[in-house]
Amino acid sequence: MHWILLGVAGILEIVWAIAMKYSDGFSNLLPSIITVVGYIASLVFLTFAMKQLPVGTGYAIWTGIGIIGTTVLGVLLFQEKLSLLQVLCLALIIIGVIGLRLLSPEN
């Protein structure tokens, strides 16, 4: 169950980060509200997940999910560009997240 909570926390991190971009510096009301609510909800789910997970593993996977998700959506929604080196670095993050999940003693 704690892995599911961590996944939800990671998805909510993506939601609030993308909403923050749409909020245009908190000048657009709805995206600003989504940012704040998404951030709080993400931290709540992360908190519950980390009751059972090591702090380093939980935090690293949470941020990894956020990094990958926001980067992909940044490319798709905002036409942000990635260099080959950036793609390689993202691949290393994905490998790290998968490795932490597979090698976690809480499997």
Side-chain angles (χ1 to χ4, degrees), residues 5-72:
L5 295 172
L6 186 61
V8 171
I11 291 167
L12 287 167
E13 183 181 13
I14 297 165
V15 168
W16 72 255
I18 296 300
M20 186 174 12
K21 177 76 170 174
Y22 280 115
S23 78
D24 195 27
F26 293 106
S27 62
N28 293 325
L29 182 61
L30 183 59
S32 298
I33 292 169
I34 293 171
T35 299
V36 172
V37 171
Y39 181 75
I40 291 169
S42 180
L43 289 178
V44 167
F45 278 93
L46 177 62
T47 299
F48 286 122
M50 288 185 22
K51 288 173 92 173
Q52 300 293 321
L53 296 172
V55 67
T57 300
Y59 186 74
I61 291 175
W62 177 67
T63 57
I65 293 169
I67 291 166
I68 299 304
T70 55
T71 301
V72 169

Side-chain angles (χ1 to χ4, degrees), residues 89-105:
C89 292
L90 290 169
L92 292 172
I93 292 170
I94 293 169
I95 291 167
V97 166
I98 292 170
L100 284 171
R101 170 61 177 98
L102 293 176
L103 299 174
S104 175

Side-chain angles (χ1 to χ4, degrees), residues 71-72 74-75 79-88 90:
T71 301
V72 169
V75 169
Q79 290 72 50
E80 296 173 353
K81 304 291 183 212
L82 292 176
S83 70
L84 183 59
L85 189 55
Q86 287 173 308
V87 172
L88 176 63
L90 290 169

